[in-house]
Structures are given as C-alpha cells and as structure tokens.
Amino acid sequence: MAETYTPMLEQYREIKNRHLNDILFFRMGDFYEMFFEDAETASRELEITLTARDGGGGKRVPMCGVPYHSADGYIAKLIEKGYKVAVCEQTEDPRQAQGIVKREVVKVITPGTVLSDQLLPDKANNYLVVLLEESGLLCFAAVDISTGECMWGSFTGASKVAAMCDRLFCLSPAEILFAGKIDSAAAINEFIAARIPSCAYSSIDVEDFSALRKLPASHFGTDNLPEQEPARDCVAYLLYYLHHTLKSDLSHVNRLGRYDADAHLLLDNITLRNLEISRNLRDGSKKGTLLGVLDYTQTAMGARLLKKWVEQPLNQPTEIVTRLDAVDELVKQPAARAYIREQLRDVYDFERIITKIEVGTANARDLTALRQSLATLPLVKEAIVKLRAKLFSSAGGQLSGHMDIVQLIQDALVDNPPVATREGGMIRPGYDLELDELRTIARDSKLWIQNLEANERETTGIRSLKVGYNRVFGYYLEVTHANASEVPARYTRKQTLANAERYITPELKEFELKVLGAEEKIVVLEYQLFVSLRETIKRQVREIQQTARQVALLDVLCSLSEAASRHNYVKPQIVTDRELRIKDGRHPVVEELLQRERFIPNDTGLNHRDCEIMIITGPNMAGKSTYMRQVALLTVMAQIGSFVPAREASISPVDRIFTRVGASDDLSSGQSTFMVEMAEVSHILKHATSKSLIILDEIGRGTSTYDGMSIARAVIEHIKSKIKAKTLFSTHYHELTEMEGQFDGVKNYSVAVKERGNDVVFLRRIVPGGADKSYGVHVAQLAGLPKSVIERARQILSDHEQPDCRQIERAASPSPSPLPASLFSSGLSDELLALDIMTVTPLEALNILYKLQNQAKAEAGKL
C-alpha cells in the first residue's frame, strides 16, 4: 500500500515528481520550504537547520526553509554548487482559497539561466550552450539569457571536435546541454573538465519532437534560421529548454546570429591560454592579460563587447580599417573622448535591466537606473554627431534617448524607491488620482488617532489611556487595570494583558476598516501601477536593446583610444601584401608590469620572400619568448582594431595564430610534457595555412638531444616546404642555424648578449645572426643556486667543451659504437697521446692511420 501524507505534502510530492532533478523551493506564506531529500541536501549545502514536520499518519518528514525575501542569496549559493532550483509559488490568495492553496512552478533556475545580480559576472557573458551531433555536423546553439544574445554554429570534418572545444573555451559557458547522442561527448566532457571546470553539463530529452521543430520558426521567423536541419534542431532544443525553465515569452531573445569562423582571426584554446589574451595562467582573471591592458570601458555592456573583440579579432581588412579609423579620430580628439567617457559613467547595465523587465523580475530601482541611463544618451549623441568616422555615423543614427520612457518613469516613480515591489512606497504623488486619495486617508488617519486619544482621555478622565495598533488585533484602546473601574460601558473588551485591558468601540472599529482597507489598497494599487509601467516599457524591448548595443560599441571605441593615448600606441597600417613589419615593437602587457625599468623595443620583418621563418637562438631569460609573444599580440591588437605599441607597424591580417609555448604535463589524461608538446605541434601542422602566423618555442626539449633536434629540424622543413606560414621559431639547438644557408627565407636571429668574464648582460635586443651559447649556468646563478653548485657546473661545462679525442669521436659518430672504446683502451692510446701532430709528416700519418685501421678490422673479425 502506497504511503499517504497530508494534503499539503501530497501537493508537494506531485509537483516534485515533475522536477525530480531540481531542488524545489515550495512557497508557504513568508517562507520557501523544502521537504524530504531536498531538505537534507539544502540544509547541508546552505548550512541551515534541518527540522521535521508532521507528514500525516504519525510520520515525520525532513524539512528546512528560507525566508522568501532573502531567497535569492540562498538560490545563488545552490546554483554556484551546480544545482538547479525550481521555484514554486502560491498562485491564489490564501484568504480566498478553498482547501489547499494552488501552487505551481513559475521558473526553474539553472547555471545558464540565472538572472540574479549576485551570480552574473558584470563584465562577461553568462552563456547556456546546447550541443547536437547529426549527419556529420557538430552543432551548437548558445544564448546569454541576461542580455538576449543568441547564436548558432556548426563544424564538420576531422577537426570538428577541436573546433568545437575552441569555441566552448571562448564562450566559457556556465551550462552545457547535450541533445541526443553525441559521438564525441567523451572528448568534449574531458575538455570541459580540464579547461572549463566550473561549467555544469547534462543531457536534455524531448518527448514531442514534432512540436519542438516548430519552435525556431515561430520564435525567430524563417529568415534567420540555419539552412541545415541539425543546426535548426539545435536551436529548437535551446528554445525548448528556455521555455521550460524561464516560463516567459522570451521576447528579448529576438535576434539569432551565426558564428562565422571565416570572418575572424581564429585563436584556438591553446593560443588564447598561451598568449593570455583574456585570462591569465595563474588564476584565470584578466589581470596581466591583453584584455586587462586595453580595458578602459565605463559600462558593463562595453566591457562584455571588448572581451568579445579581444577573443575574436577580425580578419577582413575593410572591417579592421573601419574600427581603426574610429579609434584614430578619438585619439586625435581627446576632449570629445573625455566627454563621452564622462557621460558613460552614469550609464547602468540596461541591457540586462531590459531582460529583467521582460521576464518580470525588475524592481523599481531597476527602472530608475534605466531612466538615469537613457536620460544621459542625448548628451552622448550630441557629442558623436560631430565625429566623422563611419562607425560614429552609424551609431548616431541608431542611438535613441527614448525620452518617452524617461519621462514616464520620472512621472511614475519616486527618486529613491524601495527594493520590494509589494510593500508600497514606489509611486510618485500625483501620478494616480485614486492612489493619492487613498494616501490622504492613510495620512489623515494619524491625526484622527491623535484626536481620538485626546477626546477619550478628556471624556473618561483616564490620563494614561492610549490608542494602539498591532497586526493581530488591529486598533484598540488600552487602559491599565488600575483605571478599569472608570472604563465606560460603550467600550468592548478585546484583549487582556498582565497590566492592562484593551478595548474597541464602534467608532474605532469603523475607522479601522476604513484605514486598513486604504493601506491594503495602496499596496495593491502601487503594485498594479508598477506592473503596468513595466509592461509599457516591455513593448520597446527591441529598440532599447539596439540602443544598448550602440552604447557598448561607443564605450569600446573610447576604451581602445584611451589605451592608445595612455600607452603611446600608434595606428597600424593594414596591408594585403602578406607581410608583417614592425619598428620598435613592445610587449603591451610586460611593459605595463615594468614599473621602473624601460622596456627594450625590437623590430620584426616577416614576409614570404627572404624572411619567412625566423630561427631565434640565445640564452634563457634573455627575452626570446617575450619577443615572440609580442609579435603575436601586436598582430591580434591590429586585427581587433586597436592601436599597437610600436613606432611603426604595417600588418597583413592573418587567418590564424598558433602557439606552442612552455611545457606542462597533462596529468589528468596521463600525458607527459613531451606528449602534450607533440600533440600541439601536430595540431599546428595539420591546420596552419600560408596565411597563418606560427609561434614555436623550444620544440623537442622534452626528449633526448638528437631526437629533439631531429624533430625540430623536420618541423621547420615541413613548415617551409608544405605550409609556408610566417613563423617564429626559438631554439637552443644551435645546429639548426645552419638552415639559413640551406633554405631560402629561413633567417637566423639571436638575443644580443654582452659578456664580462663570468658575468653576462642580457641586452634584450633581437639581432641578425645565430648564437652559439645558451648561458644556462649564468641563468642558474641568477636563480640563486648555491655558489658551490655554480662553480662545479662551470668546471663540468669547461671539461665538456675541451676538443679532446673523445669529443671529436663523439661528434663524428653520434651513434654508439664499440670502436672508440676498444681503440682508446689499447696500447696505441699512449702512442696517439705522444704524437706531435704539427710535426708528423704525411707519410707517417698514413702509417699511423693504417695501424688504426688494422686494429679496428681485427677487433671486428674482418682480418
């Protein structure tokens, strides 16, 4: 026989059965309650008290709860821990309910659908991504529900999984959903765990697939939909999930864009990490990154857009030049730039505010923030209409101040409204006649009470009599027991206290009904007026979103021009001759970190004629890696549309930048440093083109010397003969410098060093020619190794550098052979050591060589 519970718990169980994977916040009065397993989980994760409740039939069930007015903070903690929360509200007035109050889930909050300010990153998007694989296509659909941004993309071929992982790393979604069977799910899950560990991921199933397929066209229309059916289905799954979690019409998700890889400079996840484009390798923050150097945005909307630009630079020269021209104009007009930035300081994140308005969670303070933001925009527009660049003309035409909305909010809401929307105090006097009349009644009631109290004291002669109120008993007249004999007969006893009695009179009862009715009506009417105001604004969602996009664009252009002015950057020339020419280039991040030391600039000249591959040799810590990263970062900056740290720069856009820098074991998958290195090099050799820029730092150091040198040389030869990409290749294998004379377009460069005895000064200048030393012992000394170790290392190094016979033989025959060992253990060794080579005649030399040959033949059994 099935267990039965109280009617309320049966209602809870019925709703919970529809949300088995969610923690159910069940509204009961002023609290959200949780029961059974949810209560045990929530009490543990939220560190709140676990109690019990009568479940019927003598059963006790686990229970815990949180106040409804502070529920957002508790929900935020659960979401951060990877849980989903279903919020179940009372959908009818408990005072009018017959039996159990009706309840239903009004929204499901997941990591990818949060709208709480406590969980949303201000300067980054919060993406939800759906993945689907079908008919050879690996598709994604992504949405930031807090801004309404929605996009899709698809990948095919042997590299589709790698391309998808690169895209996921760039999006850094809060939540990923797998739709149907995905053959590459294991590889993607492994990547998520390693590179996006905070991301929640699960599967999504749909029962009515025919209904699901109708969603994209009904929501977006037919013009913007993907042509390929798998991609359309991926968008459909995304919309299905949003409708079943947010339970709103999603009118703010009104534009579906396509991710077009061909329109961007592609930076895979390895390159994004190695170059520290937007996240540093230490803690994942933007400190010490290219984004951190360029970010002078004034608004959250601009900060999010700048992050997109930095992670997805352009590759079309016309579009790049359009951005550069706008930045250039602001650099040349510092007063206009300063004025626009000053106005933008007063602009709130109204891109997200409009989303809260659409889903019905915006409060009165959100609306006043929207009013203040929009009221600033006419001043911004006035400033940009004076600018000539194409982007400013376009932005000015699409930038609206929405003064009707500004005036409406100004008329309706007080300047500093409360956070709560159901407790009154939001609506400005004069906005609504009925509300003003009710407020007059409520306000005059205080004077009426004062007069009543004075009259009753005078009439009864009881000087201590007072009129009071509480929420349980309403209004009353209170008289102490000492004066009970003087209470008139028209008083009706209402409550007895330890020291006093409380009474009611017909006159006071009539007043109570009038006043309490007015105060209750005030709260209800204020909320109705506020909801009506919110709905009016909601009808202009699209227009306000368009305005938000233009504000973000202006903010980013101002940010890039501010960075250019502060850091002495120059406008790069964008050319199409496939060359990269930089005069006195500087590393944008490193030069900012050098507080008191001057950064040493360097030139770069890469082309497809006489310098396609630069082989860079020189000591550790001398600046080889900094220089190579610098070249890559300046290319990225130029293709963003940013000025660059250099005296001059002429840059042809590249299609991809590949980097292999540093060494790290991938312990989670059991891969060694060398295996990771070779996998990354393999990826580069498979995907690089003649339009790419390749950065390779110390290839082959994870294995034996001859293996490593052989691999390094073979990689250079492959790039030169097959790929023909512009390449920077740093190495300690000085033997590779001989390639300069063997291959056209391969040039040697090194880091200049000045020696003073055992002391070495790194000049950090890249100069033509190869180096023949690595200065490793000197670097070890700088690192603080004990003096005795340094001296011993120098002695060993000196011994190995002596041109004795062992060295000669080892150099002549790298492969192990029994000949050298047997030869130098024979009696001939003394004779050889005694020879004076400078006085031996040619005939004597031939005789000595003849003896050595016969000895070798005898030992090899050939005599």
Side-chain angles (χ1 to χ4, degrees):
M1 182 176 178
E3 284 190 295
T4 59
Y5 295 89
T6 62
M8 186 277 296
L9 283 176
E10 289 292 349
Q11 182 190 47
Y12 172 90
R13 295 179 69 206
E14 188 273 329
I15 296 173
K16 175 63 182 175
N17 284 337
R18 300 197 297 269
H19 296 274
L20 294 175
N21 297 322
D22 311 325
I23 293 180
L24 184 62
F25 271 44
F26 190 76
R27 182 68 177 269
M28 295 179 65
D30 289 341
F31 281 80
Y32 286 112
E33 304 289 2
M34 288 147 277
F35 301 98
F36 302 103
E37 294 85 357
D38 281 1
E40 294 172 344
T41 300
S43 65
R44 180 182 66 252
E45 299 290 1
L46 299 176
E47 298 181 351
I48 57 178
T49 302
L50 179 67
T51 60
R53 180 187 178 97
D54 179 20
K59 297 184 292 291
R60 303 283 290 177
V61 300
M63 169 184 169
C64 71
V66 299
Y68 85 93
H69 56 79
S70 59
D72 285 350
Y74 292 104
I75 292 174
K77 289 181 180 179
L78 291 173
I79 298 300
E80 283 183 314
K81 293 174 179 288
Y83 294 98
K84 300 179 181 180
V85 176
V87 180
C88 180
E89 295 286 1
Q90 297 171 171
T91 56
E92 67 174 338
D93 190 336
R95 293 170 296 185
Q96 299 176 0
Q98 296 181 355
I100 298 297
V101 176
K102 292 180 182 178
R103 295 179 175 88
E104 64 180 60
V105 172
V106 297
K107 59 184 173 183
V108 178
I109 305 173
T110 73
T113 61
V114 295
L115 292 172
S116 169
D117 294 337
Q118 298 180 55
L119 282 178
L120 289 172
D122 288 341
K123 297 189 175 184
N125 289 94
N126 191 72
Y127 287 111
L128 165 70
V129 172
V130 173
L131 300 181
L132 181 146
E133 188 172 16
E134 188 178 303
S135 303
L137 281 179
L138 184 55
C139 309
F140 78 89
V143 66
D144 180 349
I145 199 64
S146 70
T147 65
E149 178 187 355
C150 191
M151 75 187 82
W152 68 275
S154 62
F155 305 101
T156 187
S159 62
K160 63 183 179 182
V161 176
M164 181 62 77
C165 288
D166 290 339
R167 189 69 192 129
L168 291 177
F169 184 81
C170 192
L171 292 172
S172 291
E175 183 178 3
I176 296 176
L177 300 169
F178 292 88
K181 183 178 183 298
I182 296 182
D183 294 335
S184 51
I188 294 174
N189 283 339
E190 183 178 330
F191 177 82
I192 294 170
R195 294 287 180 250
I196 324 172
S198 61
C199 177
Y201 53 97
S202 58
S203 60
I204 176 174
D205 298 311
V206 177
E207 296 179 0
D208 189 350
F209 197 71
S210 62
L212 175 133
R213 282 191 156 171
K214 298 177 183 177
L215 287 174
S218 64
H219 187 86
F220 291 112
T222 57
D223 293 340
N224 298 326
L225 297 185
E227 294 181 1
Q228 300 156 316
E229 189 172 274
R232 286 200 306 274
D233 289 345
C234 194
V235 174
Y237 272 105
L238 179 67
L239 291 171
Y240 172 86
Y241 187 75
L242 293 179
H243 281 297
H244 282 74
T245 52
L246 293 176
K247 300 184 183 295
S248 69
D249 63 8
L250 304 175
S251 61
H252 71 296
V253 183
N254 48 52
R255 295 200 324 164
L256 180 62
R258 180 190 177 189
Y259 170 68
D260 184 5
D262 293 336
H264 298 98
L265 160 59
L266 297 184
L267 303 171
D268 59 31
N269 73 89
I270 297 169
T271 299
L272 285 169
R273 292 179 67 250
N274 285 341
L275 295 181
E276 297 184 291
I277 295 292
S278 58
R279 284 165 274 185
N280 67 44
L281 292 172
R282 297 178 298 281
D283 58 13
S285 72
K286 77 172 187 179
K287 184 178 180 180
T289 66
L290 177 61
L291 176 61
V293 170
L294 297 178
D295 190 359
Y296 288 94
T297 56
Q298 301 285 61
T299 71
M301 298 175 289
R304 291 194 293 270
L305 181 60
L306 177 61
K307 184 173 185 289
K308 290 192 187 100
W309 282 21
V310 169
E311 293 177 337
Q312 301 176 65
L314 301 171
N315 65 10
Q316 300 302 315
T318 303
E319 296 180 15
I320 297 170
V321 170
T322 298
R323 288 184 182 176
L324 283 170
D325 288 345
V327 174
D328 187 32
E329 188 168 11
L330 286 175
V331 169
K332 293 175 179 175
Q333 297 200 36
R337 180 178 78 245
Y339 180 80
I340 294 171
R341 296 186 74 239
E342 182 65 26
Q343 302 310 314
L344 292 179
R345 290 180 60 185
D346 294 328
V347 174
Y348 290 87
D349 192 355
F350 66 89
E351 185 177 36
R352 281 181 169 166
I353 291 174
I354 201 67
T355 294
K356 295 168 73 175
I357 290 172
E358 193 279 328
V359 299
T361 61
N363 59 32
R365 290 189 182 179
D366 292 323
L367 268 58
T368 55
L370 175 63
R371 182 207 72 210
Q372 181 176 331
S373 301
L374 297 180
T376 303
L377 300 186
L379 299 175
V380 175
K381 186 168 184 174
E382 182 181 342
I384 65 172
V385 295
K386 300 175 183 178
L387 302 174
R388 302 292 183 183
K390 182 179 178 181
L391 282 178
F392 297 124
S393 300
S394 175
Q398 300 179 65
L399 190 64
S400 171
H402 305 279
M403 297 313 296
D404 55 336
I405 296 295
V406 172
Q407 192 61 54
L408 181 60
I409 298 174
Q410 178 66 34
D411 292 342
L413 299 180
V414 298
D415 291 335
N416 295 298
V419 175
T421 57
R422 294 181 180 270
E423 297 179 5
M426 300 178 293
I427 304 299
R428 189 183 295 275
Y431 180 71
D432 182 82
L433 181 60
E434 181 183 357
L435 180 61
D436 288 344
E437 291 176 349
L438 290 170
R439 283 174 169 168
T440 298
I441 293 173
R443 182 179 63 250
D444 292 348
S445 66
K446 295 180 180 179
L447 180 59
W448 191 90
I449 288 292
Q450 293 174 358
N451 291 334
L452 175 66
E453 188 175 82
N455 290 337
E456 290 299 320
R457 286 179 178 177
E458 183 68 27
T459 303
T460 62
I462 304 173
R463 299 330 245 157
S464 60
L465 181 147
K466 62 182 180 181
V467 179
Y469 169 82
N470 66 37
R471 297 181 63 182
V472 177
F473 293 101
Y475 285 95
Y476 54 81
L477 295 158
E478 184 173 296
V479 179
T480 60
H481 290 319
N483 296 300
S485 60
E486 300 179 32
V487 171
R490 57 190 176 87
Y491 282 22
T492 301
R493 182 179 286 108
K494 192 171 187 178
Q495 182 186 12
T496 300
L497 303 177
N499 300 317
E501 297 283 348
R502 289 177 176 173
Y503 303 88
I504 190 74
T505 67
E507 182 183 19
L508 187 57
K509 186 65 177 177
E510 181 182 352
F511 167 81
E512 180 181 86
L513 293 174
K514 181 180 179 180
V515 171
L516 294 183
E519 292 178 347
E520 186 175 322
K521 288 178 181 178
I522 287 172
V523 173
V524 172
L525 183 54
E526 280 210 43
Y527 182 71
Q528 291 174 348
L529 292 170
F530 175 75
V531 170
S532 176
L533 173 64
R534 203 163 57 187
E535 289 298 312
T536 300
I537 299 171
K538 183 177 174 179
R539 290 194 284 271
Q540 295 192 36
V541 163
R542 284 177 177 267
E543 293 81 1
I544 298 175
Q545 284 179 321
Q546 176 63 26
T547 297
R549 286 189 285 269
Q550 301 312 309
V551 169
L553 172 63
L554 293 172
D555 196 10
V556 171
L557 294 174
C558 285
S559 180
L560 293 178
S561 61
E562 185 72 14
S565 297
R566 292 194 185 200
H567 305 315
N568 193 29
Y569 295 169
V570 299
K571 181 181 181 181
Q573 282 188 302
I574 302 301
V575 295
T576 57
D577 57 9
R578 300 178 63 201
E579 296 193 10
L580 189 154
R581 298 179 292 274
I582 299 170
K583 293 290 185 182
D584 288 340
R586 313 185 307 274
H587 193 296
V589 179
V590 174
E591 79 165 348
E592 284 303 294
L593 297 177
L594 296 175
Q595 297 295 323
R596 300 179 180 177
E597 186 178 347
R598 177 177 173 268
F599 186 91
I600 305 300
N602 275 294
D603 298 344
T604 305
L606 285 170
N607 56 57
H608 295 281
R609 300 185 313 276
D610 58 355
C611 189
E612 192 170 69
I613 299 177
M614 292 174 60
I615 296 179
I616 306 171
T617 50
N620 289 314
M621 290 183 64
K624 299 194 305 294
S625 295
T626 298
Y627 171 74
M628 293 195 301
R629 286 183 173 94
Q630 168 185 312
V631 174
L633 286 175
L634 265 62
T635 303
V636 170
M637 293 174 72
Q639 294 190 224
I640 288 169
S642 167
F643 282 26
V644 299
R647 182 161 55 88
E648 294 178 16
S650 177
I651 296 174
S652 291
V654 299
D655 62 353
R656 300 189 67 160
I657 295 178
F658 294 94
T659 62
R660 167 58 210 169
V661 179
S664 59
D665 290 350
D666 189 349
L667 299 178
S668 62
S669 60
Q671 292 185 327
S672 68
T673 298
F674 184 64
M675 178 58 77
V676 172
E677 176 184 317
M678 290 300 99
E680 292 182 3
V681 172
S682 173
H683 174 76
I684 293 171
L685 299 184
K686 288 178 182 177
H687 297 96
T689 73
S690 62
K691 296 180 180 179
S692 302
L693 174 63
I694 300 176
I695 307 296
L696 295 173
D697 191 7
E698 303 293 353
I699 296 301
R701 296 300 300 277
T703 185
S704 69
T705 300
Y706 289 105
D707 277 356
M709 186 176 67
S710 301
I711 292 170
R713 177 165 180 137
V715 167
I716 297 175
E717 290 180 0
H718 182 86
I719 293 173
K720 178 59 189 170
S721 61
K722 303 294 185 182
I723 301 175
K724 303 183 184 301
K726 292 188 286 290
T727 303
L728 300 175
F729 192 106
S730 76
T731 183
H732 278 280
Y733 296 131
H734 303 122
E735 296 85 350
L736 297 180
T737 58
E738 69 184 26
M739 296 182 72
E740 180 180 77
Q742 298 171 351
F743 295 88
D744 292 338
V746 176
K747 294 293 183 181
N748 289 329
Y749 285 83
S750 61
V751 184
V753 172
K754 188 173 184 179
E755 295 188 61
R756 295 174 181 171
N758 286 332
D759 292 331
V760 175
V761 178
F762 298 149
L763 302 180
R764 305 192 187 282
R765 292 287 292 182
I766 304 297
V767 295
D772 58 0
K773 292 182 180 180
S774 293
Y775 300 95
V777 174
H778 181 72
V779 173
Q781 183 179 12
L782 292 177
L785 264 65
K787 183 177 180 181
S788 58
V789 173
I790 298 299
E791 291 175 352
R792 176 57 180 155
R794 286 198 175 114
Q795 179 184 353
I796 295 171
L797 179 62
S798 177
D799 291 343
H800 278 283
E801 289 178 342
Q802 293 299 319
D804 60 18
C805 294
R806 292 180 176 83
Q807 296 287 345
I808 294 171
E809 285 295 333
R810 194 175 297 118
S813 179
S815 301
S817 168
L819 178 59
S822 62
L823 176 63
F824 293 113
S825 63
S826 70
L828 291 175
S829 62
D830 293 335
E831 183 179 343
L832 282 169
L833 292 173
L835 283 174
D836 185 356
I837 298 297
M838 302 303 295
T839 62
V840 172
T841 66
L843 181 59
E844 290 173 335
L846 285 174
N847 288 331
I848 294 170
L849 184 60
Y850 177 77
K851 289 181 182 179
L852 291 173
Q853 185 182 57
N854 284 337
Q855 174 70 23
K857 287 180 178 179
E859 292 184 7
K862 294 183 179 181
L863 282 179

